[in-house]
Amino acid sequence: AAPAKAAPAKAAPAKAAPAKAAPAAAAKGAGDAWQRVEFEEGSSSKFWEARVEEKRLYVRFGKLGTDGQTQIKDLANHAMAMAELEKQLAAKLKKGYQPAGGAGGGAQNLTLEGAILGDPSNDESYLVYADWLQTQGDPRGELITVQQKLAEAGGAEKKKLAKAEADLLAEHAAAFWPKKLKAAIDADAGGKKDRWDVEYATCAATWRNGFLASVRVGLSYELAEEKDHRVAPIVSELLKHPSGRFLEELTIGALGIADEYDYGEVVGAIARAGAPALRTLYIASFSSEHTELSWSHLGKLEKLWPAAPRLESVTLRAGSMSLGKLDLPSLRKLRVETGGFDKKNLKEICDASWPALESLHLYLGQDNYGGNSKLKDVLPILEGKSFPALKHLGLMNCEYTDEIGKALPGSGILPQLETLDLSLGTMSDVGAKAIADNLDAFSHLTSLDLSENFLTDAGIKSLKGLGKKLDTSSQKEPYDWDEDGRYTSVGE
């Protein structure tokens, strides 16, 4: 992948041919992405966008800068829905609408894009698209070809191709780069050397096959306050931009404000724009130097999941959130870090179908910060019926770790696990004894993490039969002013 830094434009972008409608028999999945066109002339400033989901056509339109209004139309089948989308799109282009991003929006073939969405790892699909784009005079076709060759080249050839790539990204910067993302990257350039928050408060991007493959959107306080950058508009433009059509990885970092972090606007932007190719999503990658975990909020996430149906890995960090109904059949990894996980969220996880989920790590938290679950709420996970592929389980940062320890030996989930993480919690020697009395049940694990609990030397010694598989580091001391004195590691 190419480096993230955007090169300054050297010349005006080459004007690509307007998008042509693909055949009505477009492959299923080709309309998953929003197809957006815009019209600006005189006092008129408006947009039109549409996408197909199964046999349903979604159309949004209105004044630029607004959410507009949405119309939904059900057709007889997917092919007819695609045909209707293409008919309406062609009519808009005939009236003078341009693909989002202006003249640089580029040509578009929904059938070929559908093939890429169906299997983004297939480089051959991109090359087929590159050939078609070049017949339309779209420079993205050349960029695809150059970046594919660059990924496999070495030595002098690699240097030559890297220069060709840089030249293309510079010459056609207005077409290839989402304006707000590039502005944030450029504004931040040179100002990172002595910054403490570079890891979390940086906008960065990598390219693959002519499109943005991985993007991090995070802002320092200076960029947000003094230079008026905002995360949500950057994300919204990115997902609607031609270069973001096949975005596979998105990380949302620091918001750059000296206050509570509310990611609701960002979540809404993703839900409205759609991210049909997205495989990896990480929301709220920040440190306590930016804000406290309990001072961050994700809001309602239910509308997010249909907008990113191909997700394989999700990481969420916040003091509060509402997961809503979960339907993520391709998800392989789910990690939620919070000081207090609401039992309603836990129920949504337990009620969902997880045919592919291999890794589940939950910070259950403490009552003071909204962690109101009990052992009965995690029993569906321990039963294992809805988690046929689960290999790695973490029930961490929990106030009832001893009870989990007692429930695990006879559980349905334990035999299929490879790793188990009960760290950051409140396990005492009582929980250790429940494990020690059933060492055979845990002996198949490659690792058992009991770090940052409340085990005594005697409790640790009782578990020595697990050998190097066991992590009992950094045990905590109980508060001396409390009757029990045990606490979870993460709260505020």
Side-chain angles (χ1 to χ4, degrees), residues 271-342:
R272 287 190 296 273
L278 201 64
R279 262 61 177 181
T280 300
L281 177 63
Y282 187 162
I283 302 181
S285 173
F286 64 88
S287 77
S288 59
E289 298 288 343
H290 297 93
T291 191
E292 298 292 349
L293 186 64
S294 62
W295 300 353
S296 60
H297 315 284
L298 300 187
K300 295 181 178 180
L301 299 170
E302 189 164 16
K303 292 183 179 179
L304 174 63
W305 312 128
R310 293 178 172 86
L311 280 171
E312 295 178 0
S313 175
V314 172
T315 301
L316 307 172
R317 292 184 70 252
S320 69
M321 67 192 78
S322 175
L323 294 180
K325 185 178 180 180
L326 293 158
D327 184 14
L328 297 168
S330 299
L331 201 70
R332 297 181 181 276
K333 177 182 177 182
L334 175 61
R335 185 180 184 91
V336 182
E337 298 183 14
T338 179
F341 201 50
D342 187 275

Side-chain angles (χ1 to χ4, degrees), residues 20 49 58 135 172 235 285 290 339 356 403 419 435 449 461:
K20 296 183 178 181
E49 59 187 5
Y58 295 84
T135 67
H172 304 288
V235 171
S285 173
H290 297 93
E403 295 178 59
T419 68
I435 295 174
D449 191 346
K461 187 176 180 180

Side-chain angles (χ1 to χ4, degrees), residues 19-26 30 82-83 86-87 89 108-112 132:
K20 296 183 178 181
M82 285 298 302
E86 291 152 8
K87 175 184 175 183
L89 176 60
Q108 189 172 10
N109 185 309
L110 300 184
T111 303
L112 298 181
W132 183 84

Side-chain angles (χ1 to χ4, degrees), residues 200-457:
Y200 304 99
T202 300
C203 286
T206 59
W207 292 82
R208 178 176 173 267
N209 287 336
F211 295 87
L212 289 166
S214 174
V215 172
R216 164 185 278 276
V217 182
L219 298 177
S220 66
Y221 178 83
E222 179 184 14
L223 281 181
E225 294 299 317
E226 297 181 18
K227 300 185 179 180
D228 199 31
H229 290 273
R230 294 290 182 271
V231 170
I234 294 174
V235 171
S236 180
E237 182 192 48
L238 163 67
L239 295 176
K240 294 174 181 178
H241 194 277
S243 292
R245 284 175 188 152
F246 306 120
L247 186 71
E248 294 183 51
E249 183 174 348
L250 177 61
T251 299
I252 308 299
L255 297 183
I257 57 176
D259 202 344
E260 292 194 23
Y261 273 14
D262 186 349
Y263 286 90
E265 187 181 8
V266 179
V267 170
I270 299 171
R272 287 190 296 273
L278 201 64
R279 262 61 177 181
T280 300
L281 177 63
Y282 187 162
I283 302 181
S285 173
F286 64 88
S287 77
S288 59
E289 298 288 343
H290 297 93
T291 191
E292 298 292 349
L293 186 64
S294 62
W295 300 353
S296 60
H297 315 284
L298 300 187
K300 295 181 178 180
L301 299 170
E302 189 164 16
K303 292 183 179 179
L304 174 63
W305 312 128
R310 293 178 172 86
L311 280 171
E312 295 178 0
S313 175
V314 172
T315 301
L316 307 172
R317 292 184 70 252
S320 69
M321 67 192 78
S322 175
L323 294 180
K325 185 178 180 180
L326 293 158
D327 184 14
L328 297 168
S330 299
L331 201 70
R332 297 181 181 276
K333 177 182 177 182
L334 175 61
R335 185 180 184 91
V336 182
E337 298 183 14
T338 179
F341 201 50
D342 187 275
K343 63 183 180 182
K344 291 181 181 178
N345 287 323
L346 196 51
K347 188 175 188 303
E348 295 292 356
I349 289 175
C350 293
D351 287 348
S353 175
W354 301 106
L357 194 69
E358 298 177 354
S359 177
L360 175 65
H361 287 78
L362 305 175
Y363 282 38
L364 298 173
Q366 53 185 278
D367 185 62
N368 289 344
Y369 293 96
N372 56 6
S373 68
K374 303 295 182 184
L375 177 65
K376 64 179 181 180
D377 299 306
V378 301
L379 286 179
I381 296 176
L382 300 184
E383 289 170 359
K385 295 178 181 178
S386 297
F387 303 88
L390 198 67
K391 298 177 182 178
H392 310 283
L393 175 63
L395 297 173
M396 308 144 72
N397 200 52
C398 178
E399 289 189 315
Y400 48 93
T401 318
D402 276 345
E403 295 178 59
I404 291 176
K406 293 177 184 178
L408 274 164
S411 68
I413 199 70
L414 183 58
Q416 73 186 57
L417 297 180
E418 294 179 6
T419 68
L420 177 62
D421 191 340
L422 302 177
S423 64
L424 311 177
T426 58
M427 180 175 283
S428 69
D429 286 359
V430 173
K433 185 178 186 303
I435 295 174
D437 289 345
N438 297 275
L439 283 183
D440 287 347
F442 295 86
S443 62
H444 68 286
L445 295 174
T446 58
S447 72
L448 172 59
D449 191 346
L450 301 180
S451 62
E452 287 197 47
N453 277 286
F454 291 88
L455 305 181
T456 67
D457 290 343

